[in-house]
Amino acid sequence: MATFQFELVSPEKLLLSRPVEMATIPAIEGEMGVLPGHAPMIVALRGGVIRVQENGTETEALFVAGGFAEISAARVTVLADEATPLSSLSRAESEQRLAAAEAALRELPLTEPEAKRDAAMARVLAMQAAVAAAGAA
Protein backbone atom coordinates (compact mmCIF):
# COMPACT_ATOMS: atom_id res chain seq x y z
CA MET A 1 0.00 0.00 0.00
CA ALA A 2 1.13 3.56 -0.69
CA THR A 3 2.58 5.63 2.15
CA PHE A 4 3.47 9.22 2.95
CA GLN A 5 5.99 10.71 5.36
CA PHE A 6 4.44 11.58 8.74
CA GLU A 7 6.23 13.83 11.23
CA LEU A 8 5.02 14.87 14.67
CA VAL A 9 6.99 17.65 16.33
CA SER A 10 6.43 19.07 19.82
CA PRO A 11 8.25 22.10 21.25
CA GLU A 12 10.68 19.70 22.95
CA LYS A 13 11.57 17.29 20.14
CA LEU A 14 10.70 15.30 17.03
CA LEU A 15 8.37 12.57 18.34
CA LEU A 16 7.62 10.58 15.23
CA SER A 17 9.03 10.51 11.70
CA ARG A 18 8.32 7.61 9.36
CA PRO A 19 6.28 6.48 6.36
CA VAL A 20 2.65 5.66 7.24
CA GLU A 21 -0.45 4.57 5.30
CA MET A 22 -2.97 6.83 7.02
CA ALA A 23 -3.19 9.41 9.77
CA THR A 24 -6.29 10.71 11.51
CA ILE A 25 -5.87 14.17 13.01
CA PRO A 26 -8.18 16.29 15.21
CA ALA A 27 -8.62 19.36 12.99
CA ILE A 28 -10.60 22.32 14.32
CA GLU A 29 -13.31 21.47 11.74
CA GLY A 30 -13.48 17.82 12.91
CA GLU A 31 -11.64 14.53 12.61
CA MET A 32 -9.69 14.39 9.37
CA GLY A 33 -8.28 11.30 7.68
CA VAL A 34 -5.16 11.78 5.56
CA LEU A 35 -4.05 9.32 2.88
CA PRO A 36 -1.21 9.51 0.33
CA GLY A 37 -1.96 12.06 -2.41
CA HIS A 38 -4.03 14.34 -0.14
CA ALA A 39 -4.65 17.88 -1.36
CA PRO A 40 -2.21 20.41 0.14
CA MET A 41 -3.51 22.42 3.08
CA ILE A 42 -2.66 23.79 6.50
CA VAL A 43 -5.14 23.10 9.29
CA ALA A 44 -5.38 24.17 12.92
CA LEU A 45 -5.70 21.35 15.44
CA ARG A 46 -7.89 21.13 18.52
CA GLY A 47 -7.22 18.94 21.53
CA GLY A 48 -7.68 15.32 20.50
CA VAL A 49 -6.00 12.11 19.42
CA ILE A 50 -3.77 11.58 16.38
CA ARG A 51 -3.95 7.99 15.14
CA VAL A 52 -1.41 6.53 12.71
CA GLN A 53 -1.87 3.35 10.65
CA GLU A 54 0.84 1.16 9.16
CA ASN A 55 0.37 -2.22 7.49
CA GLY A 56 -3.40 -1.92 8.02
CA THR A 57 -3.03 -1.59 11.80
CA GLU A 58 -3.10 1.37 14.20
CA THR A 59 0.48 1.70 15.41
CA GLU A 60 0.39 5.04 17.26
CA ALA A 61 -2.19 7.01 19.22
CA LEU A 62 -1.06 10.31 20.70
CA PHE A 63 -3.00 13.05 22.45
CA VAL A 64 -2.24 16.56 21.19
CA ALA A 65 -3.44 19.69 22.95
CA GLY A 66 -3.57 21.74 19.76
CA GLY A 67 -1.26 23.03 17.06
CA PHE A 68 -1.14 22.92 13.26
CA ALA A 69 -0.73 20.34 10.52
CA GLU A 70 0.80 21.00 7.13
CA ILE A 71 -0.48 18.46 4.63
CA SER A 72 0.81 17.72 1.14
CA ALA A 73 0.49 14.77 -1.23
CA ALA A 74 3.67 13.13 0.12
CA ARG A 75 4.06 14.48 3.67
CA VAL A 76 2.18 15.50 6.82
CA THR A 77 3.98 17.58 9.42
CA VAL A 78 2.18 18.14 12.72
CA LEU A 79 3.44 20.94 14.96
CA ALA A 80 1.81 20.13 18.30
CA ASP A 81 1.60 22.43 21.32
CA GLU A 82 2.09 19.30 23.40
CA ALA A 83 1.88 15.60 22.58
CA THR A 84 1.55 12.56 24.85
CA PRO A 85 1.26 8.91 23.89
CA LEU A 86 -2.28 7.83 24.74
CA SER A 87 -0.91 4.95 26.82
CA SER A 88 0.92 7.51 29.05
CA LEU A 89 -2.03 9.90 29.47
CA SER A 90 -3.12 9.99 33.11
CA ARG A 91 -6.80 10.62 33.80
CA ALA A 92 -6.07 12.05 37.28
CA GLU A 93 -3.40 14.41 35.92
CA SER A 94 -5.66 15.42 33.02
CA GLU A 95 -8.49 16.21 35.46
CA GLN A 96 -6.11 18.38 37.53
CA ARG A 97 -4.97 20.22 34.40
CA LEU A 98 -8.62 20.72 33.38
CA ALA A 99 -9.46 22.19 36.80
CA ALA A 100 -6.48 24.57 36.52
CA ALA A 101 -7.50 25.64 32.99
CA GLU A 102 -11.10 26.26 34.12
CA ALA A 103 -9.86 28.30 37.09
CA ALA A 104 -7.59 30.36 34.84
CA LEU A 105 -10.52 31.08 32.50
CA ARG A 106 -12.79 32.11 35.40
CA GLU A 107 -10.10 34.43 36.79
CA LEU A 108 -9.63 36.33 33.52
CA PRO A 109 -11.16 39.80 33.84
CA LEU A 110 -13.84 40.61 31.28
CA THR A 111 -11.62 43.49 30.18
CA GLU A 112 -8.99 41.05 28.84
CA PRO A 113 -8.59 41.04 25.05
CA GLU A 114 -10.81 38.57 23.23
CA ALA A 115 -7.78 36.68 21.89
CA LYS A 116 -6.59 35.96 25.43
CA ARG A 117 -10.04 34.74 26.49
CA ASP A 118 -10.26 32.57 23.33
CA ALA A 119 -6.85 31.03 24.13
CA ALA A 120 -7.96 30.26 27.70
CA MET A 121 -11.18 28.66 26.41
CA ALA A 122 -9.20 26.61 23.87
CA ARG A 123 -7.03 25.33 26.75
CA VAL A 124 -10.16 24.28 28.69
CA LEU A 125 -11.49 22.44 25.62
CA ALA A 126 -8.11 20.74 25.06
CA MET A 127 -7.99 19.55 28.67
CA GLN A 128 -11.59 18.27 28.42
CA ALA A 129 -10.43 16.26 25.39
CA ALA A 130 -7.44 14.98 27.42
CA VAL A 131 -9.76 13.74 30.19
CA ALA A 132 -12.00 12.03 27.63
CA ALA A 133 -9.01 10.46 25.83
CA ALA A 134 -7.49 9.26 29.12
CA GLY A 135 -10.82 7.72 30.13
CA ALA A 136 -11.11 5.89 26.80
CA ALA A 137 -7.51 4.62 26.84
Side-chain angles (χ1 to χ4, degrees):
M1 182 168 205
T3 62
F4 60 92
Q5 186 66 25
F6 182 84
E7 294 184 342
L8 174 60
V9 182
S10 74
E12 298 85 32
K13 63 182 177 181
L14 176 66
L15 296 168
L16 189 65
S17 178
R18 64 176 180 252
V20 302
E21 293 172 351
M22 180 178 177
T24 304
I25 58 175
I28 290 284
E29 298 83 12
E31 292 294 311
M32 180 177 178
V34 181
L35 294 166
H38 198 286
M41 60 181 59
I42 295 176
V43 295
L45 303 179
R46 60 179 165 73
V49 178
I50 291 178
R51 298 183 185 280
V52 175
Q53 288 187 9
E54 298 169 83
N55 300 316
T57 304
E58 182 178 296
T59 57
E60 301 283 345
L62 300 110
F63 174 79
V64 293
F68 292 89
E70 181 180 12
I71 301 165
S72 71
R75 172 181 302 276
V76 172
T77 303
V78 174
L79 305 171
D81 296 340
E82 96 184 40
T84 307
L86 206 52
S87 59
S88 301
L89 197 61
S90 159
R91 184 174 177 95
E93 182 181 331
S94 297
E95 287 173 345
Q96 290 172 351
R97 294 176 71 197
L98 172 59
E102 289 171 338
L105 178 61
R106 279 193 307 273
E107 292 168 8
L108 273 181
L110 293 176
T111 56
E112 283 293 331
E114 188 175 338
K116 193 166 185 176
R117 295 187 62 74
D118 287 349
M121 186 61 191
R123 184 72 182 161
V124 168
L125 294 173
M127 291 304 97
Q128 286 174 341
V131 169

